[in-house]
Amino acid sequence: MPAAEIGVIGLGVMGANLALNISDHGYEVAVYNRTVAKTRAFMAEAGALSEKIIACDTLEALVDAIRPPRPIILMIKAGDPVDQQIAALQPLLDRDDLLIDAGNANFRDTIRRFKALEDSGPTFLGMGVSGGEEGARHGPSIMVGGKRDSWQRIEDVLTAISAKYEGEPCAAWVGEDGAGHFVKTIHNGIEYADMQMIAEIYGIMRDGMQMEPAAMAGVFAAWNDGPLDSYLIEITADILQTQDDESGKPMVDMIVDAAGQKGTGRWSAIESLRIAAPAPAIEAAVGARSLSAMIDLRTKAEAVLGVPGQGEFDLGATTLDLLEKALLAGKVAAYAQGFSVMAAASKEYGWHLPLPVIARIWRAGCIIRSRFLDDIASAFTATPDVDNLLLTPEFAQIVTDTDRALRAVLAEAIRKGQPVPALASAVAYFDQLRRSRGTANLIQAQRDYFGAHGFVRTDAEGEAHGPWHSEE
Ligand code: NDP
């Protein structure tokens, strides 16, 4: 009788830590990695946990080591490697074995794989995992998509290994086929916006206020005791007070300002555009990362255009309080947008995404974990059918309380040439959202003028046209 209850394929950063986490919770786990040397190194470092881990050098050995019906987690590079791995496993697996892709797959690939395996098997689940290396080892946030009864087959192990927020597991089934990977994608899109807004505030402090990293670390650490309390603010404080042993300078000052990106932020922005659910803060964050990578261009532009306003950002004695409130306001806009993209996608793909559950499983384990997400979970639980987070009484109140600060910070930043693309997108979003009569009437008139696209009159139903070309 095979001993293992579950298998893990891929012993990279995430897979290795997930396998240790699973065995740490008392499950016998079989592991396999394409490069066998990595399996050996993993076993050598697993210590006492290696007694509950079965190392397998071939896929056949892995399949033989797991009790059927076999749950197998794939934690390998996303994209073609996943298709190749499924193709190699398919002949070895039974119809009711359960293959769980836990990498950062594009949800469209997950839908395709789910459909392709629906008749032939094995059963397929797409699972978003967040929390990086630490999360994988000690408790990630887990978002599962696929058939609900497939999730129920591995619910015990996934809830056991997940992060806990005040005892509640941060793992849940969120919908059919690609829903889990979609939710993970939007998680990452929100993460991009949150990080960009923090970086914009850091930029104001560093360049506009000429603050040293250690002083900024103190400010972020203090903010972490208030409404901004979150993992990202906590690590920002920690990063800013870390010294580089080689140069003796603050580590942050020794890092080239060109941000990497692997695609999930961009996918979030693309999907929001595709389903017409605007997420300008996420778009701004993706754009800012792309511009950050164009160092040559920025260097040339600095020589031609100059850098305005160094050290001139000043809003008086309450500047830091205003920055804190502005960051909170921006964060509210970014999360409202991310959740509204999920609400729209839920309708588009028929997923019925449970927004309060998603907020709850993001409260711990993942990169955007925060007290703020507990507030979002409460707001969506109290008002489940609300169209936008900003319409809930709790978040409408935060907007009211932070609005003046956001505008003051943005006005000063723009006057002094501080780049604030994501924060500025937040105020534009608020201002457009809350106006029942905007300016698209002019756009409709223009469209009708040059293209006879028609418009709806304010005083009648049906399509109308304007008298634009009556003299011709
Ligand atoms: P690593 O680069 O550390 O490991 C990659 C793994 O994929 C290795 O086991 C590698 O095997 C395997 N692999 C690559 N190509 C193939 C292939 N063609 N066939 C079989 N196996 C292959 O990556 P991570 O552990 O960081 O990431 C794994 C997945 O998890 C990715 O989808 C990533 O996007 C996602 N993820 C990562 C997070 C992170 O913070 N790092 C967070 C959340 C999700 P080999 O050793 O043979 O090269």
Side-chain angles (χ1 to χ4, degrees):
M1 179 86 169
E5 289 147 279
I6 189 165
V8 173
I9 294 182
L11 294 172
V13 174
M14 293 298 285
N17 283 292
L18 211 61
L20 292 174
N21 186 355
I22 294 170
S23 67
D24 220 1
H25 281 85
Y27 295 91
E28 197 112 354
V29 55
V31 298
Y32 165 85
N33 192 73
R34 177 183 62 170
T35 308
V36 174
K38 210 177 258 180
T39 312
R40 301 267 183 279
F42 167 77
M43 290 304 282
E45 284 170 22
L49 287 177
S50 64
E51 284 170 24
K52 290 192 87 63
I53 302 174
I54 304 168
C56 306
D57 289 354
T58 63
L59 288 176
E60 287 80 359
L62 177 92
V63 170
D64 286 345
I66 309 167
R67 269 203 301 275
R70 308 169 183 86
I72 300 177
I73 295 177
L74 277 181
M75 198 37 136
I76 64 173
K77 193 169 180 237
D80 289 343
V82 174
D83 288 316
Q84 290 158 16
Q85 199 61 259
I86 292 173
L89 277 164
Q90 222 180 346
L92 308 176
L93 294 178
D94 296 332
R95 168 81 190 78
D96 57 351
D97 287 337
L98 186 57
L99 205 49
I100 306 137
D101 177 17
N104 269 341
N106 185 312
F107 79 100
R108 291 178 188 283
D109 287 338
T110 304
I111 294 175
R112 170 177 58 77
R113 289 170 187 140
F114 180 85
K115 291 210 169 105
L117 295 173
E118 211 165 9
D119 294 330
S120 60
T123 306
F124 190 69
L125 284 176
M127 174 168 114
V129 177
S130 177
E133 186 175 2
E134 255 319 278
R137 177 66 184 89
H138 299 292
S141 171
I142 295 176
M143 301 139 247
V144 177
K147 289 275 169 231
R148 188 177 208 145
D149 57 356
S150 313
W151 143 257
Q152 283 162 345
R153 285 170 52 191
I154 47 150
E155 187 175 350
D156 284 353
V157 57
L158 295 182
T159 51
I161 65 164
S162 74
K164 309 289 178 301
Y165 183 87
E166 295 177 355
E168 274 185 62
C170 293
W173 175 80
V174 294
E176 295 275 313
D177 52 60
H181 279 135
F182 183 85
V183 170
K184 171 70 203 296
T185 299
I186 300 302
H187 165 283
N188 285 20
I190 294 173
E191 177 187 308
Y192 269 54
D194 206 336
M195 290 168 74
Q196 174 62 26
M197 287 176 180
I198 294 172
E200 289 172 14
I201 295 290
Y202 155 76
I204 290 174
M205 289 186 198
R206 184 190 67 183
D207 302 329
M209 300 167 69
Q210 312 260 278
M211 287 172 68
E212 292 299 327
M216 291 186 256
V219 173
F220 279 104
W223 288 354
N224 204 38
D225 289 330
L228 288 171
D229 173 5
S230 61
Y231 173 71
L232 282 171
I233 293 289
E234 179 193 325
I235 66 166
T236 302
D238 205 21
I239 287 164
L240 288 168
Q241 67 182 7
T242 302
Q243 295 296 308
D244 172 33
D245 290 340
E246 282 176 41
S247 64
K249 293 184 178 159
M251 190 67 236
V252 72
D253 289 344
M254 303 305 295
I255 299 174
V256 173
D257 76 320
Q261 45 182 328
K262 287 192 175 162
T264 44
R266 193 178 301 140
W267 295 343
S268 296
I270 289 171
E271 193 54 31
S272 80
L273 292 170
R274 199 194 301 263
I275 58 179
I282 299 175
E283 278 176 54
V286 174
R289 283 203 194 186
S290 301
L291 206 50
S292 82
M294 299 177 188
I295 295 188
D296 282 353
L297 176 66
R298 290 191 290 118
T299 306
K300 284 178 195 154
E302 181 173 325
V304 174
L305 304 168
V307 186
Q310 298 294 299
E312 293 175 6
F313 188 100
D314 188 2
L315 290 170
T318 59
T319 300
L320 290 173
D321 293 338
L322 292 170
L323 289 178
E324 180 186 17
K325 286 204 171 85
L327 186 50
L328 181 60
K331 196 170 158 124
V332 170
Y335 283 65
Q337 291 163 20
F339 275 91
S340 76
V341 174
M342 287 192 286
S346 192
K347 287 190 190 136
E348 178 86 8
Y349 300 108
W351 283 328
H352 309 290
L353 294 178
L355 300 188
V357 172
I358 292 166
R360 278 203 285 278
I361 62 173
W362 287 353
R363 290 177 302 177
C366 65
I367 302 300
I368 61 171
R369 61 186 179 259
S370 62
R371 194 203 306 174
F372 185 76
L373 274 158
D374 192 38
D375 298 338
I376 295 180
S378 304
F380 278 131
T381 304
T383 330
D385 296 325
V386 72
D387 293 320
N388 188 298
L389 184 66
L390 297 177
L391 303 188
T392 64
E394 300 83 350
F395 283 84
Q397 189 60 49
I398 301 179
V399 171
T400 306
D401 294 346
T402 54
D403 188 63
R404 198 182 64 81
L406 178 63
R407 284 168 206 281
V409 166
L410 286 174
E412 180 70 354
I414 290 164
R415 245 195 311 266
K416 303 293 165 57
Q418 279 297 142
V420 282
L423 286 169
S425 78
V427 87
Y429 183 74
F430 292 148
D431 286 340
Q432 195 185 357
L433 189 73
R434 67 184 175 176
R435 233 165 244 271
S436 62
R437 180 154 173 83
T439 54
N441 50 322
L442 179 61
I443 291 170
Q444 283 299 82
Q446 290 165 333
R447 292 179 69 243
D448 188 52
Y449 190 106
F450 63 66
H453 294 296
F455 52 77
V456 178
R457 293 181 61 95
T458 56
D459 57 0
E461 298 206 344
E463 187 177 281
H465 293 278
W468 322 119
H469 309 292
S470 52
E471 293 133 40
E472 289 168 22

